[in-house]
Structures are given as C-alpha cells and as structure tokens.
Amino acid sequence: MTAATHTPRVFSGIKPSGGLTLGNYLGAIKRFVDMQGQDYETIYCVVDLHAITVWQDPAELKNATREVAAGFIASGIDPTKSILFNQASVPQHAELGWIFNCVARVGWMNRMTQFKDKAGKNAEKVSLGLYAYPSLMAADILLYHATHVPVGEDQKQHVELTRDIATKFNNDFKCDDFFPMCEPIIEGPATRVMNLRDGSKKMSKSGESDMERINMTDDADTIAKKFKKAKTDPEPLPESLDGLSERPEARNLVNIYAALSDTTNEAVIAEFGGEGWGKFKPALADLAVDKLAPISTEMKRLMDDPAEIDRILLAGADRAQEIAEPILQQTYDIVGLLRPKR
Ligand code: TYM
C-alpha cells in the first residue's frame, strides 16, 4: 500500500490537564470541527495517558477528561460523524506506544523542544513518560493509519517525529508503506495564540496568571476584562499587515479576531487599520463572548450529565477499536510477536 492509497483519515488529540483555553479552541478544536464531514474520516481523542506524564490529581482527572470531551461536543464535534473517545479506553495506544519506544532513538527524543521546555533544568527528575511522550503520540496517530493531523504550531515537531518513526519502522521491517507518512495540518490565522500579557509566550493552560489566557469556561465579564487588560503598545492598529511584524501583542489580537470571525488578518486590518485599542479591544471582546458563550453554556449543560459523556466516550472507544485492533494485530505480526486475535 502506498501513502496515497491509505484512506484519508484525520486524527488529533487534546490533553485533559487543566481547562481548555482559547489557544486549544482556535488552534485545534475549531479546526477539527471544520474538517468533520469533509473528505476524511475524523477521529478525535482526549489523551488522558499523555496527561499523566506530569502529576494529575486522580480526583480531578476523570472530570477533566469529561470536560475536554464536553468542550469537543459543545464546539460542534458530532459523535455520530466523528469518532470521539478517551485514550485510556483503547489499550492498543499503549501497546503500540511500547513498540515505538523500541523503534524511536534516544537522540530523537533529546531533540524535542517541548520536552526541553517542560523539563527545564529538572530533566533528571521528570517522569520517563514525559521523555517518551512523542513516541506515544506517534502511536496515537499511526494506530489508525491517520494521514492528516490538525494541530497548533507547537506540535509540528512531534508530527515530524511521527513520520520518522513510521519511516524507520517501514524500513526496519521491510513493510513498504505499512505506516503512512502523515501530514501535519497547521493552517489559519491562529495556529499559535499568544499569552495576553506577553506576546513572546504561547497561551497555555499552565501559565502563572489567569489573566494571560482566555479559558473556554470564562464568563462574559471575565473575557471582556481580560481583553481590556491585554498588553498592547500605544500605537493604533497599522494600515497594512507589515505594520504588525514588530508588534507581537498587536499581531496576536488581530490573529485572534481573524480566527474567531473566520476571516483573514488582511480583512481585519482593512476594517480596523488606523483605529485605536479603545475601539478594537471592545469589538474583540464582544466577538469572543458571542462565539464562546454558547460553547461554555453547552459545556456546562453536558457536564451536568457525566454518565451521558461516559456513554458517548465508550461508544467512540468501541468504534476506535474496530480500526485500531486489526492494525495493531498486523503490527505485532510484522514485528514477530505472538498475540492472539481478539
Ligand atoms: P495539547 O493538549 O497541549 O493541545 C491540544 C491542541 O491545542 C493546540 N494548542 C494551541 N494552538 C494554538 N495556540 C495555542 N496557544 C495553543 N495551545 C495548544 C495544540 O497545538 C494541540 O493541537 N501532544 C498534544 C496532544 C496529542 C496529540 C496526539 C495531538 C497527543 N497525541 C496525536 C495530535 C495527534 C498536546 O499536548 O496537545
């Protein structure tokens, strides 16, 4: 089978560690929704096994998993059109992850910038799971022979590593294109949403201050306050896009506006060029509230019935296993491992 003949299939995932941010929404979930019902089969996963590579309070993890699932559904992922499940419910992920631990090289892991950022000076003390994380991520993708992986910019290196693992496996075991060369899909104006207080840092759920991010569950007043207090410079918005190149905070807010309104940065500049922040920030806050309030209301409604979320995830896990199990079985066979057919 050549890469071109693999069924077009999308896979992506989000960790249930802390709440969802506007970065997760614009860089990932919103784009997952756009890809649903197109020419691909779409598989979306709450990657709870990835979350525990750093400490998670067991009392909170299950709820955090349900909350990410609720975020997916409330944003428009339809569990009848896409396969939606949590990673721990499909044990084949961990099985293939182990095989890839034996394919990937230590030197490859040492080059992962996200590991270096997360481990910082503490690299000796972090979990082995955090180090091997990209290998499990490769397993998530390749377990479904996924061909397209929509992610934010920060995940590009991990998807490239997935391709390296697929290539080495295919070569080592002389199995042609058994694992496809997946493509990272990193598109749109908000593939890297930045921190609202420091335009040089990514918006993340683990940042120190809540004021630096928009959470998917923030209420209207909080969203308005955070945008009002977002760091900017004294200049008005430029008349052309070039004028944003040395202005990271201004560029970030324009990117967010463009992504939320499904338009381009050029169109935003055409509308607001020359205007001051006193006009742009309230317009951005109104737009964000308009788009996010129905999602957070729906998330809360879904979270009132955790049993229903569990039922949806379980049904998704059954469908995921129908694809994953034969691929894993073939992988074991290729490697020469005995594994009874399930
Ligand atoms: P995670 O949980 O950190 O983030 C989930 C998705 O959100 C995107 N994202 C952002 N996009 C734009 N701006 C931001 N500030 C921002 N913050 C987060 C991420 O790029 C990601 O797409 N390793 C992955 C999860 C994962 C995965 C996979 C993804 C595990 N297995 C297989 C794709 C395929 C992660 O930690 O994402």
Side-chain angles (χ1 to χ4, degrees):
M1 206 180 211
T2 66
T5 59
H6 280 282
T7 310
R9 192 173 277 153
V10 169
F11 181 95
S12 201
I14 297 191
K15 288 193 302 282
S17 47
L20 290 169
T21 68
L22 184 64
N24 295 131
Y25 177 66
L26 295 178
I29 304 180
K30 187 170 184 297
R31 298 172 46 236
F32 300 169
V33 176
D34 293 341
M35 293 182 98
Q36 180 178 255
Q38 303 288 327
D39 300 334
Y40 318 91
E41 197 168 1
T42 42
I43 307 177
Y44 298 123
C45 184
V46 186
V47 286
D48 41 13
L49 296 178
H50 279 277
I52 61 164
T53 55
V54 298
W55 173 251
Q56 301 297 328
D57 182 344
E60 285 170 20
L61 182 57
K62 286 181 188 157
N63 253 347
T65 299
R66 293 184 184 114
E67 191 173 287
V68 173
F72 274 116
I73 300 167
S75 305
I77 297 299
D78 176 346
T80 64
K81 290 193 186 143
S82 293
I83 297 179
L84 177 63
F85 69 105
N86 68 303
Q87 195 184 21
S89 300
V90 178
Q92 288 87 348
H93 286 251
E95 288 187 77
L96 186 59
W98 178 256
I99 292 185
F100 286 169
N101 281 348
C102 303
V103 173
R105 305 288 97 179
V106 166
W108 300 358
M109 299 296 146
N110 287 341
R111 285 194 282 278
M112 294 296 109
T113 55
Q114 209 166 55
F115 176 77
K116 289 185 202 162
D117 290 349
K118 286 200 173 170
K121 294 192 190 98
N122 233 358
E124 293 282 315
K125 298 242 170 77
V126 298
S127 74
L128 192 51
L130 189 68
Y131 190 61
Y133 182 116
S135 164
L136 180 61
M137 178 160 161
D140 299 338
I141 297 166
L142 296 175
L143 184 58
Y144 301 92
H145 280 179
T147 52
H148 297 79
V149 186
V151 280
E153 223 171 84
D154 61 338
Q155 297 300 315
K156 185 166 185 242
Q157 195 186 29
H158 290 160
V159 182
E160 284 165 358
L161 184 100
T162 301
R163 294 164 62 98
D164 293 341
I165 291 178
T167 304
K168 181 159 167 53
F169 185 99
N170 291 344
N171 287 340
D172 286 355
F173 294 101
K174 302 190 176 34
C175 53
D176 298 326
D177 294 315
F178 177 67
F179 285 120
M181 288 303 113
C182 57
E183 292 291 336
I185 310 288
I186 302 171
E187 285 167 1
T191 54
R192 189 170 178 83
V193 177
M194 307 309 277
N195 178 320
L196 296 181
R197 307 311 295 264
D198 177 351
S200 70
K201 292 191 187 144
K202 194 185 73 166
M203 182 184 287
S204 96
K205 29 198 163 193
S206 56
E208 286 149 34
S209 154
D210 197 53
M211 290 301 286
E212 66 191 42
R213 63 180 161 265
I214 304 285
N215 305 299
M216 292 295 286
T217 47
D218 282 344
D219 60 30
D221 288 348
T222 309
I223 292 176
K225 186 169 86 194
K226 286 179 176 176
F227 278 124
K228 190 166 162 221
K229 294 204 176 266
K231 185 178 166 200
T232 42
D233 50 42
E235 303 298 316
L237 281 158
E239 304 280 354
S240 82
L241 264 192
D242 297 346
L244 286 176
S245 59
E246 303 296 319
R247 299 172 65 188
E249 283 88 10
R251 190 175 60 226
N252 187 40
L253 296 186
V254 170
N255 287 349
I256 293 174
Y257 193 102
L260 280 171
S261 56
D262 281 312
T263 176
T264 59
N265 298 4
E266 285 87 346
V268 178
I269 290 298
E271 188 179 346
F272 289 99
E275 299 286 358
W277 296 107
K279 173 148 186 210
F280 185 72
K281 281 183 170 179
L284 175 58
D286 285 350
L287 173 67
V289 169
D290 224 44
K291 299 286 176 181
L292 300 183
I295 299 177
S296 82
T297 306
E298 180 61 3
M299 276 175 78
K300 287 189 191 112
R301 193 190 68 74
L302 290 162
M303 285 298 285
D304 282 343
D305 189 356
E308 174 63 6
I309 297 180
D310 292 359
R311 196 194 57 71
I312 291 171
L313 290 175
L314 193 62
D318 285 345
R319 290 170 62 205
Q321 290 203 47
E322 277 172 31
I323 303 173
E325 175 55 24
I327 293 176
L328 185 69
Q329 189 65 48
Q330 266 177 289
T331 310
Y332 269 58
D333 192 45
I334 290 169
V335 175
L337 295 164
L338 290 173
R339 181 175 184 272
K341 280 212 163 61
R342 306 263 147 88

